[in-house]
Coordinates of all heavy atoms in Angstrom, one line a residue:
K1 N 0.8 -1.2 0.0 CA 0.0 0.0 0.0 C 0.8 1.3 0.0 O 0.5 2.3 -0.5 CB -1.0 0.0 1.2 CG -2.0 -1.0 1.2 CD -2.9 -1.0 2.5 CE -3.8 -2.1 2.5 NZ -4.7 -2.1 3.8
K2 N 2.1 1.1 0.6 CA 3.0 2.3 0.6 C 4.0 2.2 -0.5 O 5.1 2.8 -0.4 CB 3.7 2.3 2.0 CG 2.7 2.4 3.2 CD 3.4 2.4 4.5 CE 2.4 2.7 5.7 NZ 1.3 1.7 5.7
N3 N 3.8 1.2 -1.4 CA 4.8 1.1 -2.5 C 6.1 0.7 -2.0 O 7.2 1.1 -2.6 CB 4.9 2.3 -3.4 CG 3.5 2.5 -4.3 OD1 3.0 1.6 -4.7 ND2 3.1 3.8 -4.3
I4 N 6.2 -0.2 -0.9 CA 7.5 -0.6 -0.4 C 7.6 -2.2 -0.7 O 6.6 -2.9 -0.4 CB 7.5 -0.4 1.2 CG1 7.4 1.0 1.5 CG2 8.8 -1.0 1.8 CD1 7.3 1.3 3.0
F5 N 8.6 -2.5 -1.3 CA 8.9 -4.0 -1.7 C 10.2 -4.4 -1.1 O 11.2 -3.8 -1.3 CB 8.8 -4.1 -3.2 CG 7.5 -3.7 -3.9 CD1 7.4 -2.4 -4.3 CD2 6.5 -4.5 -4.0 CE1 6.2 -2.0 -4.8 CE2 5.3 -4.2 -4.6 CZ 5.2 -2.9 -5.0
L6 N 10.2 -5.5 -0.4 CA 11.3 -6.0 0.3 C 11.9 -7.1 -0.4 O 11.3 -8.1 -1.0 CB 11.0 -6.4 1.7 CG 10.4 -5.4 2.6 CD1 10.1 -6.0 4.0 CD2 11.3 -4.1 2.8
S7 N 13.3 -7.1 -0.4 CA 14.0 -8.2 -1.0 C 14.1 -9.4 0.0 O 13.7 -9.2 1.2 CB 15.5 -7.9 -1.3 OG 16.2 -7.5 -0.1
D8 N 14.6 -10.5 -0.3 CA 14.7 -11.7 0.6 C 15.6 -11.3 1.8 O 15.2 -11.6 3.0 CB 15.3 -12.9 -0.1 CG 14.4 -13.6 -1.1 OD1 13.2 -13.2 -1.1 OD2 14.8 -14.4 -1.8
D9 N 16.6 -10.6 1.6 CA 17.6 -10.2 2.6 C 16.8 -9.3 3.6 O 17.0 -9.3 4.8 CB 18.8 -9.6 2.2 CG 19.7 -10.6 1.4 OD1 19.6 -11.8 1.8 OD2 20.6 -10.2 0.7
Q10 N 16.0 -8.3 3.0 CA 15.3 -7.4 3.9 C 14.3 -8.0 4.8 O 14.0 -7.7 5.8 CB 14.6 -6.3 3.0 CG 15.7 -5.3 2.4 CD 15.1 -4.4 1.3 OE1 14.3 -4.8 0.5 NE2 15.5 -3.2 1.4
W11 N 13.6 -9.1 4.2 CA 12.6 -9.9 5.0 C 13.3 -10.5 6.2 O 12.8 -10.6 7.3 CB 11.9 -11.0 4.1 CG 10.7 -10.4 3.4 CD1 10.5 -10.2 2.1 CD2 9.4 -10.0 4.1 NE1 9.2 -9.7 1.8 CE2 8.5 -9.7 3.0 CE3 8.9 -10.1 5.3 CZ2 7.3 -9.2 3.3 CZ3 7.7 -9.7 5.5 CH2 6.8 -9.3 4.5
N12 N 14.5 -11.1 5.8 CA 15.2 -11.7 7.0 C 15.6 -10.7 8.0 O 15.6 -11.0 9.2 CB 16.4 -12.4 6.4 CG 16.1 -13.6 5.6 OD1 15.0 -14.2 5.7 ND2 16.9 -14.0 4.6
I13 N 16.0 -9.5 7.6 CA 16.3 -8.4 8.5 C 15.1 -8.1 9.4 O 15.2 -7.9 10.6 CB 16.9 -7.2 7.8 CG1 18.2 -7.5 7.2 CG2 16.9 -6.0 8.7 CD1 18.7 -6.4 6.3
L14 N 13.9 -8.1 8.8 CA 12.7 -7.7 9.5 C 12.4 -8.8 10.6 O 12.0 -8.4 11.7 CB 11.5 -7.8 8.5 CG 10.2 -7.1 9.0 CD1 10.4 -5.7 9.3 CD2 9.1 -7.2 8.0
L15 N 12.6 -10.0 10.4 CA 12.5 -11.1 11.4 C 13.5 -10.9 12.5 O 13.2 -11.0 13.7 CB 12.6 -12.5 10.7 CG 12.5 -13.6 11.8 CD1 11.1 -13.6 12.5 CD2 12.7 -15.0 11.0
D16 N 14.8 -10.6 12.1 CA 15.8 -10.3 13.1 C 15.4 -9.1 14.0 O 15.7 -9.2 15.1 CB 17.1 -10.1 12.3 CG 17.7 -11.4 11.7 OD1 17.3 -12.4 12.1 OD2 18.5 -11.2 10.8
E17 N 14.8 -8.1 13.3 CA 14.4 -6.9 14.1 C 13.4 -7.3 15.1 O 13.4 -6.7 16.3 CB 13.9 -5.8 13.2 CG 15.1 -5.1 12.4 CD 14.6 -4.1 11.5 OE1 13.3 -4.0 11.3 OE2 15.3 -3.3 10.9
Y18 N 12.4 -8.1 14.7 CA 11.3 -8.6 15.6 C 11.9 -9.4 16.8 O 11.6 -9.1 18.0 CB 10.5 -9.6 14.9 CG 9.4 -10.2 15.7 CD1 8.3 -9.5 16.1 CD2 9.5 -11.6 16.1 CE1 7.3 -10.2 16.9 CE2 8.6 -12.2 16.9 CZ 7.5 -11.5 17.2 OH 6.5 -12.1 18.0
K19 N 12.9 -10.2 16.5 CA 13.6 -10.9 17.6 C 14.4 -10.0 18.5 O 14.5 -10.2 19.7 CB 14.4 -12.1 17.0 CG 13.6 -13.2 16.4 CD 14.4 -14.4 16.1 CE 15.2 -14.2 14.9 NZ 15.8 -15.5 14.4
A20 N 15.0 -9.0 17.9 CA 15.8 -8.0 18.6 C 14.9 -7.3 19.6 O 15.3 -6.9 20.8 CB 16.5 -7.0 17.7
K21 N 13.6 -6.9 19.2 CA 12.6 -6.2 20.1 C 12.3 -7.1 21.2 O 12.2 -6.6 22.4 CB 11.4 -5.9 19.3 CG 11.6 -4.8 18.2 CD 12.0 -3.5 18.8 CE 12.1 -2.4 17.7 NZ 12.7 -1.1 18.4
I22 N 12.1 -8.4 21.1 CA 11.9 -9.3 22.1 C 13.1 -9.4 23.1 O 12.9 -9.4 24.3 CB 11.5 -10.7 21.6 CG1 10.2 -10.7 20.9 CG2 11.5 -11.8 22.8 CD1 9.7 -12.0 20.4
A23 N 14.3 -9.4 22.5 CA 15.4 -9.3 23.4 C 15.6 -8.1 24.2 O 16.0 -8.2 25.4 CB 16.7 -9.4 22.5
E24 N 15.1 -7.0 23.7 CA 15.0 -5.7 24.4 C 14.1 -5.8 25.6 O 14.3 -5.3 26.7 CB 14.7 -4.6 23.6 CG 15.7 -4.1 22.5 CD 15.4 -3.0 21.7 OE1 14.3 -2.3 22.0 OE2 16.0 -2.7 20.6
L25 N 12.9 -6.5 25.3 CA 12.0 -6.6 26.4 C 12.6 -7.5 27.5 O 12.4 -7.1 28.7 CB 10.7 -7.3 25.8 CG 9.8 -6.5 24.9 CD1 8.6 -7.3 24.3 CD2 9.2 -5.3 25.7
R26 N 13.2 -8.5 27.2 CA 13.8 -9.4 28.2 C 15.0 -8.7 28.9 O 15.2 -9.1 30.1 CB 14.3 -10.7 27.6 CG 13.1 -11.6 27.0 CD 13.5 -13.0 26.9 NE 12.3 -13.9 26.7 CZ 11.9 -14.4 25.6 NH1 12.7 -14.3 24.4 NH2 10.8 -15.2 25.5
A27 N 15.6 -7.9 28.2 CA 16.7 -7.1 28.9 C 16.2 -6.2 29.9 O 16.8 -5.9 31.1 CB 17.5 -6.4 27.9
A28 N 14.9 -5.7 29.6 CA 14.3 -4.7 30.5 C 13.6 -5.4 31.7 O 13.6 -5.0 32.8 CB 13.2 -3.9 29.8

């Protein structure tokens, strides 16, 4: 909808960012 298209590497980065957010929660 925002004309944003992700490559395979970018999708993997998105998952890594999700897991990084959970790591931040556990750190807090």
Side-chain angles (χ1 to χ4, degrees):
K1 291 177 183 178
K2 300 177 175 60
N3 291 319
I4 299 174
F5 300 90
L6 301 181
S7 66
D8 288 348
D9 289 340
Q10 288 171 320
W11 271 109
N12 291 332
I13 291 173
L14 195 61
L15 179 59
D16 289 341
E17 289 179 347
Y18 173 77
K19 291 190 285 189
K21 291 298 182 182
I22 291 180
E24 288 180 15
L25 289 173
R26 291 201 169 108

